[in-house]
């Protein structure tokens, strides 16, 4: 019984540390708790089984579903989360984009993975509020890149706010490629940050098609702001763990859902 109590106390300390810092690696937890890395890895496996955190290469990050609906995390942290699923989604999404098109592409981890896959398309017009994605797309001199202005947020590395919205309203494009913090198949897509929600909504209303890249962990989740409703979505690309009942509900609304 005493041994079990010590294990629970150690795992609670791990969870508290990751909740406070958003992430931690095995080595720092080993030093913090004066335990072997093997023990820490075992603890992380058990904590992940109970959905209290998500393991990534070398450590763990907070489970987004346990965070407050108005909190977000740095895009650099999200890049490691569900990486294999996001890569499959991005690879398929790349096939939906053709030469000679105009594209809104906002930030987020899946779009950062997608950007190198589409940068070699030709005669493209890309409009983005992500400086990081703009840098990737600039590698191809045959394409035009428009950077949306506005306030640059540190964690998400996106330009947002009234200036960004006003800038977006000047344009109308073929396709908007985006991801969101959560999708409720009955209501729509959610974002944790009001300014980010406003820019996504404006992007969606100024594009002929909206293509949503969404790994299965985002289904049946809400965040602080409703970014746009289901009527704005043309296509969803997700992974095979997405709930089948929700996929069918979305298809019944006329949305093309691709499972990869």
């Amino acid at each position: 019984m005493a041994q079990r109590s010590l294990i629970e106390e150690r795992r609670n300390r791990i969870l508290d540390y990751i909740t406070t810092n958003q992430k931690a690696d095995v080595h720092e937890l080993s030093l913090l708790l004066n335990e072997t890395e093997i023990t820490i890895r075992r603890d992380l496996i058990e904590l992940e089984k109970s959905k209290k955190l998500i393991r990534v290469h070398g450590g763990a990050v907070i489970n987004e579903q346990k965070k407050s609906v108005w909190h977000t995390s740095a895009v650099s942290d999200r890049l490691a989360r569900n990486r294999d699923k996001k890569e499959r989604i991005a690879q398929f999404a790349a096939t939906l984009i053709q030469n000679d098109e105009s594209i809104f592409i906002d930030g987020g981890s899946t779009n950062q993975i997608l950007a190198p896959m589409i940068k070699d398309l030709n005669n493209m017009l890309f409009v983005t509020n992500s400086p990081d994605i703009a840098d990737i797309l600039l590698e191809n001199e045959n394409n035009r890149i428009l950077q949306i202005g506005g306030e640059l947020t540190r964690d998400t590395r996106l330009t947002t706010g009234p200036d960004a919205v006003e800038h977006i309203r000047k344009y109308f494009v073929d396709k908007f490629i985006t991801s969101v913090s959560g999708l409720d198949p009955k209501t729509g897509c959610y974002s944790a940050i009001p300014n980010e929600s406003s820019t996504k909504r404006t992007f969606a209303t100024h594009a002929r098609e909206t293509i949503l890249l969404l790994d299965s962990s985002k289904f049946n989740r809400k965040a602080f702001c409703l970014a746009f409703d289901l009527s704005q979505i043309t296509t969803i690309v997700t992974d095979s763990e997405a709930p089948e009942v929700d996929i069918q509900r979305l298809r019944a609304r006329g949305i093309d859902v691709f499972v990869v």
Side-chain angles (χ1 to χ4, degrees), residues 77-137:
D77 296 338
R78 284 182 274 130
L79 276 168
R81 215 168 297 156
N82 297 318
R83 178 79 188 206
D84 57 335
K85 295 176 182 177
K86 292 176 180 178
E87 287 182 347
R88 294 199 307 273
I89 289 169
Q91 286 169 356
F92 185 87
T95 68
L96 303 178
I97 306 170
Q98 309 298 323
N99 291 327
D100 307 310
E101 290 187 320
S102 54
I103 305 290
F104 283 148
I105 178 168
D106 66 357
S109 54
T110 307
N111 275 356
Q112 283 214 19
I113 295 169
L114 171 66
M117 301 178 183
I118 60 176
K119 69 179 178 65
D120 291 329
L121 291 170
N122 287 310
N123 196 31
M124 301 291 293
L125 171 61
F126 291 108
V127 183
T128 184
N129 64 333
S130 167
D132 296 332
I133 288 177
D135 280 344
I136 295 169
L137 298 174

Side-chain angles (χ1 to χ4, degrees), residues 17-76:
Y17 184 83
I18 293 176
T19 300
T20 300
N21 296 278
Q22 308 294 310
K23 62 179 179 177
D25 61 45
V26 170
H27 182 65
E28 69 181 294
L29 289 171
S30 175
L31 294 176
L32 176 70
L33 299 172
N34 195 27
E35 293 284 354
T36 66
E37 293 190 5
I38 292 174
T39 297
I40 297 298
R41 287 194 179 92
R42 188 181 303 122
D43 288 339
L44 294 180
I45 290 171
E46 294 304 315
L47 287 168
E48 184 179 53
K49 286 179 180 178
S50 60
K51 301 187 183 300
K52 294 178 178 177
L53 52 73
I54 299 172
R55 287 188 302 143
V56 297
H57 181 69
V61 297
I62 188 170
N63 185 343
E64 293 279 353
Q65 293 181 340
K66 299 298 180 181
K67 292 168 62 178
S68 173
V69 295
W70 68 278
H71 288 168
T72 188
S73 54
V75 67
S76 56

Side-chain angles (χ1 to χ4, degrees), residues 64 67-73 78 156 179-182 189-198 200 221-227:
E64 293 279 353
K67 292 168 62 178
S68 173
V69 295
W70 68 278
H71 288 168
T72 188
S73 54
R78 284 182 274 130
T156 61
S179 56
V180 292
S181 299
C189 297
Y190 289 81
S191 176
I193 304 172
N195 279 351
E196 186 175 320
S197 177
S198 297
K200 286 181 183 292
R221 286 179 56 188
K222 291 183 179 179
F224 185 52
C225 304
L226 180 65

Side-chain angles (χ1 to χ4, degrees), residues 189-227:
C189 297
Y190 289 81
S191 176
I193 304 172
N195 279 351
E196 186 175 320
S197 177
S198 297
T199 55
K200 286 181 183 292
R201 183 160 50 252
T202 309
F203 274 134
T205 56
H206 283 249
R208 191 156 50 189
E209 300 177 37
T210 293
I211 300 174
L212 184 63
L213 311 186
L214 200 72
D215 72 75
S216 53
S217 71
K218 304 292 181 64
F219 274 75
N220 293 299
R221 286 179 56 188
K222 291 183 179 179
F224 185 52
C225 304
L226 180 65

